[in-house]
Amino acid sequence: MLRFSFMVCGRGAAKRFASSFSGESTLPPNLLLPTNLVDPARLKRPPPPADCSLPVLRKCDAVIPAHLSPLQTWVETLEKQDSEPLGLTQLHPDVFAAPPRLDILYDVETWQRNFKRISYANTKVRSEVRGGGRKPWNQKGSGRARHGSIRSPIWRGGGVAHGPRGPNSYYYMLPMKVRVQGLKVALSSKMAQEYLHIVDSLNIPTPDSQYLLDLIRHRHWGESLLIVDVGEEFPENILQATANLKTVNIIPAIGLNVHSMLKHEAVVLTLETVKFLEDKLLWHDQRYTPLYPFKLPYSDFP
Amino acid sequence: MAVSFSLRSSVLRRALSGAFYLHSQTPGAPAAATGLRCVSNAAPEQRKAAIIESTEEYRFVERLIPPSRIPAPPKHVGVTPSGWSPPADSPPPLPYMIRRSRMHNVPVYTDVTNGSRKLTLVRKVEGDIWALEKDVKQHLKEVTGEELPTQVNEVTMTLKVKGHFEKELKDWLVSKGF
């Protein structure tokens, strides 16, 4: 047994031992680099300068506070692998440049994990275990310890004293405004780390998954991509391309959530998605407290 | 034709009024006894008219549905009779900015914990919060004459001051133009 474990441990040791003697600095084979290390190849395209000649394709509809200025980003296209950006777009600072509240991100992420959780773990209590109604032997005279039932928790085969009594629900709701702020903080974090890309539309030339992978590899977007679009219909090509890919996923804009944004390294939004998100997320900053649930009609619901 | 029909029914009713005591309560009964159907005095063409659906009147329902957004206050110059004053048109040239609440008020709140711990909280601060803390301490020293302990929370961007100074801080912030 000991000889077997020595063989297993010793297999890679020679290779690792040899690399410490090699002249040039070779990376050890068991090295795992974190994915959020800044890759110098990704810093190729800086943010658009103030005097850029490309047209501004979209301006912010909502009122921007006087002391803040809108963000400007490139609008790219997925048609060709190595195409230049089509233009610029303005983004609202309250949605895409919110202060980086990591505590809110943590709260929303743990809420997303736990509010759906129902733990089905269940154990039987001494009253539920089969048997154990009769006193096993007399209280006095037998010489053995005194017992009242053979299913008490100190007995083998007895019930559990303080075990899980499922099904147990972990449901709770964070305030609506906290969840909205979580979305804003997540979008702002992606924007600040240059992992957010705006695209004019999701039309791609082929339904081939390899095309998307090559595009992402060429543009150094990251190892996983989340594509967001407004509306129920998506172009057929992109649906087929992303259907078999594990790391590239497409969701409608109403399905945008903090967990998905943190799980995928890069996020791609279309121009209509940006408009939709700005409408919906900024409405919460100037809304009344609900007189009746927001599911019922209001005259100017976004 | 309609006129003759109604004339006939009225003539019949008057004829039978003496005979039946229940004439006033059931005017249809004497007519039914004589075998004439007199459900209404309307002409037969109107009884078979098509049902018209109209959504024109729904505007009376729509104007009752309340709005969900808080409206912007009308333009005032200076202080209003209730004591509210609008923020300055352009933000003041300071390293910090204090936004108004959603009801367009200055975000200064008082709090009492454990029965006797009085606090004043300034929320919605953006920019250099330490410069705001310095200015607040200096202003309250001029007003009260004592150095008050303050707490800055850089994560939530709020400032707490020991004691109730809601009115002084609100007037000071409004005078600054926030």
Side-chain angles (χ1 to χ4, degrees), chain A residues 32-38:
Chain A
L32 270 176
L33 285 170
T35 48
N36 59 354
L37 267 187
V38 176

Side-chain angles (χ1 to χ4, degrees), chain A residues 113-176:
Chain A
R113 273 190 218 228
N114 289 330
F115 85 106
K116 289 184 268 207
R117 179 178 167 211
I118 303 178
S119 81
Y120 296 96
N122 189 28
T123 52
K124 289 186 166 30
V125 167
R126 63 183 283 174
S127 58
E128 291 168 354
V129 179
R130 183 97 172 163
R134 181 177 60 204
K135 195 165 169 64
W137 45 79
N138 285 352
Q139 179 80 0
K140 301 186 74 63
S142 68
R144 288 171 285 186
R146 50 190 176 179
H147 290 291
S149 97
I150 56 166
R151 301 300 189 201
S152 94
I154 54 178
W155 279 67
R156 175 198 173 273
V160 180
H162 293 296
R165 296 293 287 154
N168 210 5
S169 148
Y170 290 81
Y171 173 79
Y172 67 104
M173 290 305 281
L174 280 180
M176 199 193 300

Side-chain angles (χ1 to χ4, degrees), chain A residues 81 105 119-120 141 166 218 221 229 248:
Chain A
Q81 217 184 62
L105 274 185
S119 81
Y120 296 96
H218 179 262
W221 276 0
D229 191 16
V248 180

Side-chain angles (χ1 to χ4, degrees), chain A:
Chain A
M1 174 64 194
L2 211 56
R3 260 176 285 158
F4 178 67
S5 55
F6 273 145
M7 263 170 55
V8 165
C9 300
R11 256 185 288 166
K15 224 190 320 180
R16 295 195 291 271
F17 195 58
S19 70
S20 60
F21 283 129
S22 57
E24 71 279 10
S25 56
T26 45
L27 290 173
N30 55 348
L31 178 70
L32 270 176
L33 285 170
T35 48
N36 59 354
L37 267 187
V38 176
D39 179 15
R42 286 196 69 240
L43 300 174
K44 272 197 305 190
R45 177 169 297 136
D51 53 349
C52 194
S53 58
L54 290 174
V56 176
L57 298 174
R58 183 197 162 258
K59 286 200 173 340
C60 277
D61 304 319
V63 172
I64 299 174
H67 65 287
L68 297 169
S69 55
L71 296 174
Q72 291 221 331
T73 356
W74 304 109
V75 176
E76 299 173 29
T77 177
L78 297 175
E79 299 278 352
K80 284 201 303 244
Q81 217 184 62
D82 50 354
S83 64
E84 291 295 310
L86 296 178
L88 304 175
T89 177
Q90 287 193 338
L91 301 175
H92 200 282
D94 280 341
V95 176
F96 291 95
R101 290 287 303 270
L102 298 182
D103 58 326
I104 293 185
L105 274 185
Y106 172 82
D107 286 340
V108 177
E109 168 64 32
T110 43
W111 168 78
Q112 264 193 275
R113 273 190 218 228
N114 289 330
F115 85 106
K116 289 184 268 207
R117 179 178 167 211
I118 303 178
S119 81
Y120 296 96
N122 189 28
T123 52
K124 289 186 166 30
V125 167
R126 63 183 283 174
S127 58
E128 291 168 354
V129 179
R130 183 97 172 163
R134 181 177 60 204
K135 195 165 169 64
W137 45 79
N138 285 352
Q139 179 80 0
K140 301 186 74 63
S142 68
R144 288 171 285 186
R146 50 190 176 179
H147 290 291
S149 97
I150 56 166
R151 301 300 189 201
S152 94
I154 54 178
W155 279 67
R156 175 198 173 273
V160 180
H162 293 296
R165 296 293 287 154
N168 210 5
S169 148
Y170 290 81
Y171 173 79
Y172 67 104
M173 290 305 281
L174 280 180
M176 199 193 300
K177 293 177 197 165
V178 172
R179 286 177 271 138
V180 165
Q181 190 64 27
L183 277 173
K184 291 178 186 165
V185 170
L187 285 168
S188 316
S189 314
K190 288 292 180 190
M191 186 75 221
Q193 294 172 328
E194 294 181 19
Y195 278 124
L196 190 76
H197 304 280
I198 315 282
V199 146
D200 58 339
S201 75
L202 294 183
N203 298 320
I204 51 174
T206 53
D208 186 20
S209 313
Q210 197 54 41
Y211 170 77
L212 267 182
L213 290 173
D214 292 335
L215 191 134
I216 295 165
R217 170 73 60 87
H218 179 262
R219 297 188 187 181
H220 300 279
W221 276 0
E223 56 173 38
S224 52
L225 190 69
L226 183 68
I227 308 176
V228 190
D229 191 16
V230 186
E232 294 102 26
E233 289 104 30
F234 295 93
E236 274 300 319
N237 280 350
I238 195 132
L239 281 179
Q240 282 177 33
T242 50
N244 295 324
L245 286 175
K246 221 168 88 154
T247 53
V248 180
N249 295 312
I250 183 162
I251 54 168
I254 39 174
L256 189 65
N257 58 87
V258 167
H259 175 77
S260 299
M261 283 205 275
L262 294 178
K263 190 81 180 165
H264 296 82
E265 205 169 340
V267 177
V268 159
L269 307 175
T270 53
L271 286 172
E272 299 91 42
T273 315
V274 171
K275 178 174 182 316
F276 174 84
L277 288 174
E278 283 188 2
D279 277 340
K280 293 275 182 182
L281 294 177
L282 290 169
W283 170 75
H284 287 277
D285 285 339
Q286 35 153 299
R287 63 168 174 88
Y288 283 114
T289 184
L291 206 55
Y292 45 82
F294 286 123
K295 282 188 219 172
L296 301 173
Y298 279 85
S299 61
D300 58 355
F301 194 75

